[in-house]
Amino acid sequence: MAEKRQSYDAEFREGAVRIVTETGKTIAQVAADLGFKETTLGSWVARARRAGGGGTLGELEREELVRLRRESVENRKRIKEVEMERDVFKRAMALWVK
């Protein structure tokens, strides 16, 4: 005998996806807590990630991530520059001491 297919409204689906993306719980844990199959929730999460470009970060978090990545690149460049200056001073000190 065929099972009757359960229907969930959009608000319920969005809430379940938010639980997965915001709490860090696994899809299996959330699906078990809510009482349905993890493949169902997995497809909702995958769809949300495709639609939202990841589905885990809000716009402000994305902007902050971009800013931090840019700052990291600038810091790496500055560190490289300071290391080069240090090496020059080391060589100058070696010449001065001799």
Side-chain angles (χ1 to χ4, degrees):
M1 188 175 223
E3 290 182 31
K4 184 176 180 189
R5 193 171 195 167
Q6 179 66 37
S7 176
Y8 302 100
D9 65 347
E11 186 176 337
F12 180 82
R13 289 191 302 262
E14 289 170 8
V17 169
R18 284 185 62 207
I19 291 171
V20 171
T21 58
E22 292 177 3
T23 65
K25 288 185 176 181
T26 65
I27 291 172
Q29 288 173 326
V30 175
D33 292 345
L34 297 175
F36 55 89
K37 295 181 180 181
E38 67 182 89
T39 55
T40 303
L41 181 56
S43 67
W44 297 346
V45 171
R47 189 178 312 139
R49 287 181 177 156
R50 281 192 308 267
T56 58
L57 298 175
E59 189 61 34
L60 292 175
E61 288 87 359
R62 285 185 221 282
E63 290 174 6
E64 180 72 4
L65 182 60
V66 167
R67 184 189 67 77
L68 289 172
R69 285 181 177 163
R70 190 177 323 116
E71 186 177 303
S72 176
V73 168
E74 291 170 3
N75 286 340
R76 278 190 237 122
K77 286 180 184 177
R78 179 68 183 140
I79 288 170
K80 199 165 206 87
E81 183 179 312
V82 169
E83 287 174 344
M84 288 172 43
E85 290 174 0
R86 179 202 61 201
D87 292 343
V88 168
F89 287 127
K90 276 185 179 179
R91 289 185 194 120
M93 287 300 295
L95 292 173
W96 184 70
V97 170
K98 287 184 180 180

